[in-house]
Amino acid sequence: MEIEVKGSTEPYQVLLEPYAVVIPGEIFICTTTHRQFKMWNHSKTFIFFHWERMNSSSHIIEVEPSTGRIEENECFDFDLIVTGGKPERVVTSLLCHIEHHHEPIALAVEVSFKGPIVTLSVPSVDFGLMRLGEQTQTTLLLTNTTQLEASWTIEDNQQDHQDAQILVEPCRGVLPPLTSCSVDVFFRPRFCQQLETELELTVENGIGCHLSVRADVQSPQVCLMNCELLFSELYIGVPAKSAVTLFNQTLLPSHFRWMSELQGKQASLCTASFDPSSGVLEPNASMEITVDFTSHTDLELTEVAALCEVQGMNSPLVLGILASKTKKLSVSYSLPSVCSTPDDGSPSELLLDFGGNVVLKRAVTKQFLITNQSAVPAPFTIEAEYFHCHAAKPNTQSKKRFTYVKKPLHSVQAKKVEEKAHEEFVSSLLAHGKGAAFYVLPNTGVLGPFETQTMDVTAYTDMWGEYRDRLICKVGDLEPTLIPMQMTVKGCPLYFQMTGPRPDDQNQGPIIQFGTHVSGGDTVSRSLRINNPTMFDIRMDWETYNVDQDDRKLVDMVVAYGDAFPVKDADGNEVMSGAIRLSDGSIQTAWERARTHHLHCHQHL
């Protein structure tokens, strides 16, 4: 028997409120977040439900309660529980199976998870300019800004760990929530470079960052703008100046130092000094170095070099030095009004002639010039060969005298002191008893480079005669130069005691007053004292002349032959000139008389 049943049905009417759960923002991993939603049963009967659970390796998303019964036209409150395992955005749907319902109901879920966040105190590190071989470091601060524990690592993925230039200590660690720690970043460059790299801060299941690292690594690089120095005008032993330029090709200050000793096969024949000899060359700057070069030979120098050491450079800078043949000391002599005569010329062409009518005891000065025709300074000495003298300047003696005077002298007294000092000075010059002395001022000194000095040669005499001598001029290591001198001195050194010396009228004697006497009376005599201030014996002959009043003869002609002023006996007859008898009875020959008087001419009194 069959029973046929007919009726109408309608599907379950189940509604989610809301139909999707979107969690705004980001939630931290390993933390549980709850969201509520409702399920309405608008069906004609009750329903049984069962929620699936999303339990992946990373996240857990589930609904509580997961199973149950909802009566008709009633709603049920659910709790959506979300727990993230790694930082990412999750968009999924949870399925709810309704019994006797062919399709499950889906709850859309959208959520973003984030892990711990570790930040750096600086976004980049710039070590700036560095010298190769040096090391630098900086300190970074790592901060965990989240409530999660952060496991971090810092490394440079762009460099080989075996040849690492950047070292981070410590390079890994664990930061508790909301704490900080510091790490040191060391940079040891191995070659010159412009470094641009990144350090990566990695946080396990979290957010890290990148740290930009820059550095400019250079090594000192200094060059010479001119690598050779040529000295074309050199004198032996005289420094010659020139200059070289150092240029710093980098941004690093460079320390330089010139070696004191020259290099090369001919280095022992010369010396050089540098100013400055050491110093610091600023970045991209140039510096002029003054070179004082001295050659000690007359050879041409081609194998000499100077070395400049630069701190940080493997090899020193080499400065080649070339020098032509050096010139020697060259001196010329001349008179003030005559062109100079080179020292290799004939010195006989130069003559100091004091004249043929020099007044006795009257100083005569002549000048000549010494010219240094080279750059070699040289000491010189000048003195007469025979009639030389050694005495201090008269001004020096007078100053010594004035030091003992307590009160200032009157002008007349001062003049007398000066005259006395001058007389003593002249006497000291003529103390050798040769009758004349040539005083040179200055007689010693140094003749500077290309210098001309004027020499004053003063002749002092205390005896008449013809004088000839030579000045010996010694300059440096040159052979002495002899300059001839000559003069003829006239005058009489004798003077009467009653009149004293008469330098301006040496041949004028005194007037002897015999007074008025009776004719035929006794003989009237007057004694005269004659002084001989010289070192020589001077023979005197007396002649008597009668001066007649109204004598109209202008010239008395006297013819003489034989010896001048011959010796006569008491009767007026000449004694034999070959030998004479002296007052002590001894015999003096003509040869002995010649020794008594060394001069070349006779003065007639």
Side-chain angles (χ1 to χ4, degrees), residues 134-431:
E134 294 181 349
Q135 173 183 306
T136 187
Q137 74 176 77
T138 187
T139 301
L140 303 177
L141 188 65
L142 277 65
T143 303
N144 184 359
T145 61
T146 66
Q147 299 286 345
L148 303 176
E149 186 180 75
S151 177
W152 57 269
T153 302
I154 296 181
E155 60 183 351
D156 185 2
N157 295 326
Q158 299 182 9
Q159 65 177 352
D160 186 1
H161 293 283
Q162 296 181 354
D163 194 25
Q165 300 183 101
I166 299 178
L167 179 64
V168 181
E169 293 183 357
C171 61
R172 57 177 51 86
V174 176
L175 269 177
L178 302 176
T179 58
S180 299
C181 71
S182 60
V183 296
D184 294 326
V185 181
F186 298 90
F187 179 48
R188 300 184 182 94
R190 300 183 181 276
F191 52 89
C192 294
Q193 59 188 305
Q194 286 187 339
L195 176 69
E196 290 188 5
T197 186
E198 285 186 349
L199 293 179
E200 183 179 0
L201 173 61
T202 303
V203 181
E204 183 178 354
N205 291 327
I207 300 175
C209 61
H210 291 82
L211 178 70
S212 175
V213 179
R214 295 184 180 87
D216 188 1
V217 184
Q218 298 183 2
S219 62
Q221 190 66 37
V222 178
C223 68
L224 287 166
M225 300 302 290
N226 45 335
C227 296
E228 283 188 349
L229 274 185
L230 175 61
F231 293 91
S232 57
E233 189 77 13
L234 278 179
Y235 295 88
I236 295 180
V238 179
K241 289 185 179 293
S242 187
V244 294
T245 301
L246 290 175
F247 178 67
N248 189 355
Q249 297 176 289
T250 66
L251 297 175
L252 294 171
S254 300
H255 298 260
F256 68 90
R257 182 180 66 86
W258 289 92
M259 297 181 64
S260 57
E261 295 185 0
L262 298 176
Q263 305 296 318
K265 295 181 179 179
Q266 297 176 311
S268 60
L269 304 177
C270 54
T271 56
S273 62
F274 301 87
D275 184 25
S277 59
S278 62
V280 178
L281 199 57
E282 296 300 326
N284 287 333
S286 60
M287 180 181 294
E288 187 174 273
I289 307 297
T290 301
V291 183
D292 288 336
F293 182 77
T294 305
S295 176
H296 304 291
T297 179
D298 57 353
L299 299 176
E300 184 177 359
L301 301 177
T302 57
E303 298 183 9
V304 180
L307 301 183
C308 179
E309 294 179 334
V310 180
Q311 184 177 344
M313 289 183 61
N314 297 327
S315 301
L317 303 177
V318 180
L319 175 64
I321 299 178
L322 304 175
S324 59
K325 289 186 177 181
T326 55
K327 300 179 181 180
K328 298 181 180 180
L329 176 65
S330 177
V331 178
S332 64
Y333 304 84
S334 63
L335 297 177
S337 59
V338 182
C339 296
S340 61
T341 303
D343 57 350
D344 55 354
S346 175
S348 60
E349 298 177 0
L350 186 64
L351 173 65
L352 288 181
D353 189 357
F354 291 85
N357 195 20
V358 177
V359 178
L360 183 67
K361 293 188 177 182
R362 183 175 296 175
V364 180
T365 300
K366 291 294 182 180
Q367 292 180 336
F368 71 97
L369 307 177
I370 300 181
T371 302
N372 188 353
Q373 296 180 335
S374 67
V376 182
F380 66 86
T381 57
I382 303 174
E383 66 175 352
E385 185 177 21
Y386 179 74
F387 295 101
H388 54 78
C389 56
H390 300 283
K393 296 181 180 179
N395 292 338
T396 305
Q397 294 181 349
S398 63
K399 288 181 180 179
K400 290 181 179 180
R401 288 177 175 270
F402 284 132
T403 56
Y404 298 101
V405 179
K406 296 183 180 180
K407 297 182 179 180
L409 297 177
H410 191 269
S411 60
V412 176
Q413 293 176 323
K415 184 177 181 181
K416 289 182 178 180
V417 172
E418 290 286 346
E419 291 176 352
K420 182 64 176 178
H422 181 72
E423 290 178 2
E424 292 179 357
F425 169 69
V426 174
S427 297
S428 65
L429 295 180
L430 298 170

Side-chain angles (χ1 to χ4, degrees), residues 352-519:
L352 288 181
D353 189 357
F354 291 85
N357 195 20
V358 177
V359 178
L360 183 67
K361 293 188 177 182
R362 183 175 296 175
V364 180
T365 300
K366 291 294 182 180
Q367 292 180 336
F368 71 97
L369 307 177
I370 300 181
T371 302
N372 188 353
Q373 296 180 335
S374 67
V376 182
F380 66 86
T381 57
I382 303 174
E383 66 175 352
E385 185 177 21
Y386 179 74
F387 295 101
H388 54 78
C389 56
H390 300 283
K393 296 181 180 179
N395 292 338
T396 305
Q397 294 181 349
S398 63
K399 288 181 180 179
K400 290 181 179 180
R401 288 177 175 270
F402 284 132
T403 56
Y404 298 101
V405 179
K406 296 183 180 180
K407 297 182 179 180
L409 297 177
H410 191 269
S411 60
V412 176
Q413 293 176 323
K415 184 177 181 181
K416 289 182 178 180
V417 172
E418 290 286 346
E419 291 176 352
K420 182 64 176 178
H422 181 72
E423 290 178 2
E424 292 179 357
F425 169 69
V426 174
S427 297
S428 65
L429 295 180
L430 298 170
H432 50 60
K434 297 179 181 179
F438 293 98
Y439 181 71
V440 184
L441 189 68
N443 62 336
T444 60
V446 176
L447 194 60
F450 302 102
E451 182 185 9
T452 298
Q453 290 197 22
T454 301
M455 306 298 165
D456 294 332
V457 183
T458 304
Y460 296 94
T461 59
D462 61 357
M463 194 62 188
W464 74 82
E466 294 182 1
Y467 295 91
R468 287 182 175 84
D469 201 357
R470 295 184 296 183
L471 277 181
I472 303 175
C473 303
K474 297 179 181 179
V475 181
D477 55 357
L478 298 177
E479 290 294 326
T481 299
L482 304 178
I483 299 177
M485 300 181 294
Q486 67 180 23
M487 69 175 175
T488 300
V489 181
K490 296 180 180 181
C492 179
L494 304 180
Y495 65 90
F496 290 90
Q497 181 70 27
M498 62 185 301
T499 60
R502 293 182 174 178
D504 298 330
D505 196 2
Q506 300 175 11
N507 295 325
Q508 179 64 42
I511 298 177
I512 304 173
Q513 300 290 342
F514 286 92
T516 303
H517 301 278
V518 179
S519 178

Side-chain angles (χ1 to χ4, degrees), residues 7-15 40-47 72-73 98-103 105:
S8 61
T9 62
E10 59 182 41
Y12 290 120
Q13 299 294 324
V14 179
L15 178 66
W40 287 90
N41 182 11
H42 295 293
S43 305
K44 298 295 184 180
T45 183
F46 62 89
I47 61 172
E72 59 180 323
N73 293 322
I98 304 297
E99 189 178 32
H100 305 302
H101 194 278
H102 62 281
E103 290 183 359
I105 297 174

